[in-house]
Amino acid sequence: METPLLSVKDLRIQFNSREGVNEAVKGINFDIEAGKTLAVVGESGSGKSVSAMALTRLLPKPPICEINGQVHYDGQDVMAMSSADLRHIRGKEIAYIFQEPSVSLNPVFTIGSQIAEAIKLHMPHIKDVNAHIIDALDKVGIRDAEKRIKDYPHQLSGGMQQRVMIAMALVCEPRILVADEPTTALDVTIQAQIMDLLREVRERTGMAILLITHNFGIVNHFADDVAVMFRGEIVERGPVDQVLSKPEHPYTQALLDCIPRLGEKRERLTTIDHDKLAV
Amino acid sequence: MSNPENILEVKDLKVHYPVKTGILQRVTDSVKAVDGVTFEVPRGKTVGLVGESGSGKTTTGRAIVKLAPITSGTIWYNGEDIGNLGKKPFFPYRKKIQMIFQDPFNSLNPRMRISRIIAEPLDIHFKDMSPSDKMDRVVELLKKVGLDESHVNRYPHEFSGGQRQRIGIARALAVEPEFMVCDEPVSALDVSVQAQIVNLLKDLQDELGLSYLFIAHDLAVIEHISDDVLVMTNGKIVEQASAEDIYENPQHDYTRKLLSAVPKL
């Protein structure tokens, strides 16, 4: 068997505060293989975002936050890396896009200079940075890229901002893209455009994607495998077709049941009794 | 004249914002946020308003509660023309028409306790109510939206997104409204919490006979909660039909485009 590009074993994350200890992630295991897409679904607070952040240790240092377990990227132990090595991985090997593009972009710099930052840090050999940025914006479907690089984030719509975020994430050609709810803040038609774009990029570059979402529709169309998180644990994992058509865990079933579906009007929506499930 | 079966009738509503340019700030153009919208909301029913961001759906909702300036057109509420009322004569309608907002994190004052947040509209519209009666009312409202009595002295940050949206609903219900403009009330919530809030809004409608204008971009949620659906784009309503028809037999290209963009399960 091939070794996976990224492997996570018994990952545990806890946050310590004056109020007590909050175990956000309680021992999860998953692998990401090159070129494959793994979707992580779950409600807010289930630990999916912190798990993704832990992959490059983008979390506060102890004693606020303690990460235990193993994360191996391409054979290297991420938990044992120095900050300098981590900086090389972040953005270069494993890149992130987040939910809210308007919050993730810096409002006082042009989008061109924000993309340039990543290029200068990770690819200092590139001389013509501008041409590289224009190329990156072109690839994510931003027209008139030469003019757009001088725009500030507020001059772009939400969908365009998310394209800029994707351009920024892809500019260093990462091997893994972590997309944390990339379309939750966007309209359905823009969502369709962004997902098409990610699909196209995935085919062109062969990168692996870790997609965090709570939209099962997107999981169905986009991912190869899915992991369902509930209260810091992965309760079910498997190929998308299998999990969506024959969910084995009652929580997965409950999550699928509470979604309103087009053309199937019901009198009431099913809700989830979390405490019953936790037993 | 308006039909007495409708709680709200909107006719040819326009909201245009002037575009000023140059040092003289001359009006050179206008942004037609809402451009000639006509619809009605039958009493006790829910009308869904769907469209992408920038389509003018939120502005339409805000114009009804006088949070956006009306350029032209009429709004009848219970047969009274409220669209052109001044600030003072409109005051009683601020009690009858309430609004629920999208973002439960930004629409609650972080420095106020829950009891103050919910009692504030009572201070304005029920000036003669005694403080102890107000407190009783707050507790009653909290129970009605599924929160606990013990929550009254907490601050908004101590609640989850779904609980905050419940607080927003309790605040809207405090002054016994008849009509609610719900502006994307579940868009920021998880699917399971979304289901709870949608069910809560339906229960409250049955119990209190409320009428809703429900604004959202999620077609499945709109179809589920609405009796009639309006589809809006570029400031205009392009299709108007019952919730069943709009899914089974969409007439307008834009409606079809919206429906086909939803990733199916």
Side-chain angles (χ1 to χ4, degrees), chain A residues 34-278:
Chain A
K36 293 278 183 183
T37 298
L38 171 70
V40 179
V41 292
E43 294 170 81
S44 19
S46 61
K48 50 193 196 311
S49 288
V50 280
S51 304
M53 305 277 259
L55 301 182
T56 56
R57 293 186 15 217
L58 279 172
L59 291 167
K61 290 205 166 62
I64 299 167
C65 173
E66 285 173 38
I67 310 174
N68 290 301
Q70 294 172 332
V71 178
H72 284 273
Y73 168 74
D74 204 13
Q76 305 163 66
D77 184 356
V78 176
M79 291 301 151
M81 275 184 193
S82 66
S83 338
D85 288 343
L86 276 172
R87 265 203 300 281
H88 179 72
I89 299 262
R90 292 176 187 151
K92 176 85 179 80
E93 307 283 332
I94 303 177
Y96 288 79
I97 49 178
F98 298 101
Q99 175 173 357
E100 202 53 78
S102 53
V103 178
S104 310
L105 291 167
N106 191 331
V108 300
F109 291 102
T110 62
I111 58 168
S113 68
Q114 294 187 56
I115 300 175
E117 205 178 332
I119 301 175
K120 284 174 191 157
L121 180 67
H122 293 301
M123 301 192 287
H125 57 277
I126 286 183
K127 295 281 179 309
D128 195 349
V129 175
N130 250 8
H132 210 76
I133 298 169
I134 290 167
D135 183 47
L137 290 174
D138 239 11
K139 279 189 185 142
V140 296
I142 294 181
R143 271 166 284 167
D144 289 336
E146 301 89 43
K147 286 184 203 147
R148 288 279 94 88
I149 58 171
K150 292 198 190 92
D151 279 357
Y152 288 90
H154 75 268
Q155 292 169 294
L156 304 171
S157 67
M160 281 296 160
Q161 290 180 350
Q162 195 59 290
R163 283 171 196 263
V164 171
M165 289 300 296
I166 295 173
M168 202 184 291
L170 298 181
V171 75
C172 299
E173 290 159 8
R175 294 170 73 188
I176 299 177
L177 178 71
V178 180
D180 190 352
E181 310 236 7
T183 60
T184 307
L186 305 173
D187 281 325
V188 279
T189 50
I190 312 294
Q191 168 175 294
Q193 289 171 14
I194 296 290
M195 295 319 290
D196 282 345
L197 169 65
L198 286 176
R199 192 174 286 125
E200 190 255 314
V201 171
R202 178 175 65 184
E203 274 162 26
R204 179 158 45 86
T205 62
M207 67 181 176
I209 298 179
L210 177 67
L211 175 72
I212 297 173
T213 180
H214 56 242
N215 187 331
F216 276 104
I218 290 181
V219 171
N220 190 21
H221 283 247
F222 192 77
D224 301 302
D225 295 301
V226 59
V228 182
M229 276 192 91
F230 175 57
R231 296 197 168 169
E233 287 171 79
I234 291 180
V235 294
E236 184 161 3
R237 192 179 50 183
V240 168
D241 301 344
Q242 193 187 316
V243 173
L244 293 191
S245 60
K246 286 195 208 80
E248 277 175 7
H249 195 274
Y251 178 71
T252 316
Q253 183 65 54
L255 254 189
L256 285 165
D257 282 345
C258 69
I259 306 166
R261 295 172 197 215
L262 274 173
E264 296 171 30
K265 193 161 175 162
R266 287 174 283 175
E267 208 26 64
R268 283 184 79 77
L269 293 171
T270 323
T271 53
I272 300 181
D273 186 347
H274 290 88
D275 294 317
K276 209 171 113 194
L277 282 167

Side-chain angles (χ1 to χ4, degrees), chain B:
Chain B
M1 218 9 247
S2 65
N3 182 341
E5 281 183 14
N6 293 332
I7 190 160
L8 184 87
E9 286 189 20
V10 174
K11 194 155 181 254
D12 205 23
L13 177 72
K14 289 184 183 168
V15 180
H16 293 181
Y17 293 101
V19 176
K20 294 173 185 167
T21 44
I23 39 168
L24 295 174
Q25 291 289 290
R26 261 195 268 262
V27 178
T28 51
D29 200 1
S30 63
V31 175
K32 294 173 175 142
V34 179
D35 198 20
V37 158
T38 302
F39 66 93
E40 56 256 5
V41 181
R43 197 179 304 280
K45 300 279 184 195
T46 302
V47 172
L49 179 55
V50 65
E52 293 173 83
S53 33
S55 62
K57 55 190 198 304
T58 295
T59 311
T60 305
R62 294 176 76 91
I64 293 166
V65 293
K66 245 185 172 28
L67 287 174
I70 298 170
T71 310
S72 70
T74 7
I75 299 171
W76 281 290
Y77 183 81
N78 269 336
E80 311 264 347
D81 179 358
I82 60 163
N84 302 306
L85 288 180
K87 210 172 165 187
K88 265 236 169 88
F90 187 75
F91 183 72
Y93 293 96
R94 294 220 183 266
K95 172 176 168 301
K96 292 177 185 166
I97 310 174
Q98 285 290 317
M99 188 150 180
I100 307 174
F101 298 93
Q102 172 173 7
D103 191 336
F105 295 89
N106 289 331
S107 54
L108 301 177
N109 187 331
R111 294 174 173 233
M112 280 190 184
R113 290 180 196 275
I114 300 315
S115 52
R116 277 276 9 94
I117 288 173
I118 299 176
E120 202 177 24
L122 294 171
D123 296 345
I124 295 159
H125 292 287
F126 292 83
K127 288 208 172 72
D128 303 331
M129 215 178 200
S130 73
S132 69
D133 283 353
K134 274 183 195 159
M135 208 53 198
D136 290 347
R137 176 90 179 124
V138 168
V139 169
E140 183 197 325
L141 286 161
L142 280 177
K143 283 184 184 155
K144 190 163 263 167
V145 298
L147 292 172
D148 199 76
E149 199 179 326
S150 61
H151 292 154
V152 284
N153 285 324
R154 296 199 189 164
Y155 288 93
H157 73 263
E158 297 176 68
F159 293 91
S160 67
Q163 286 176 319
R164 287 185 214 206
Q165 200 53 286
R166 287 172 192 268
I167 294 164
I169 294 170
R171 175 176 62 183
L173 290 176
V175 292
E176 298 166 351
E178 303 161 342
F179 184 83
M180 296 230 264
V181 176
C182 311
D183 187 5
E184 307 243 13
V186 297
S187 309
L189 306 174
D190 272 331
V191 281
S192 62
V193 183
Q194 172 178 305
Q196 292 168 8
I197 298 292
V198 166
N199 286 342
L200 171 67
L201 287 170
K202 278 203 152 185
D203 291 345
L204 291 169
Q205 181 166 46
D206 292 342
E207 192 189 332
L208 307 168
L210 297 166
S211 316
Y212 295 136
L213 177 67
F214 193 94
I215 302 169
H217 63 248
D218 185 331
L219 284 151
V221 171
I222 284 272
E223 193 211 4
H224 176 79
I225 200 166
S226 310
D227 298 294
D228 294 318
V229 176
L230 313 167
V231 181
M232 203 167 170
T233 182
N234 291 330
K236 292 192 164 68
I237 290 176
V238 294
E239 187 160 357
Q240 188 159 6
S242 74
E244 286 80 13
D245 285 352
I246 222 133
Y247 176 71
E248 276 164 22
N249 191 14
Q251 297 295 318
H252 197 275
D253 282 347
Y254 180 73
T255 314
R256 283 193 212 113
K257 187 181 142 206
L258 267 187
L259 284 166
S260 67
V262 180
K264 305 261 167 3
L265 253 179

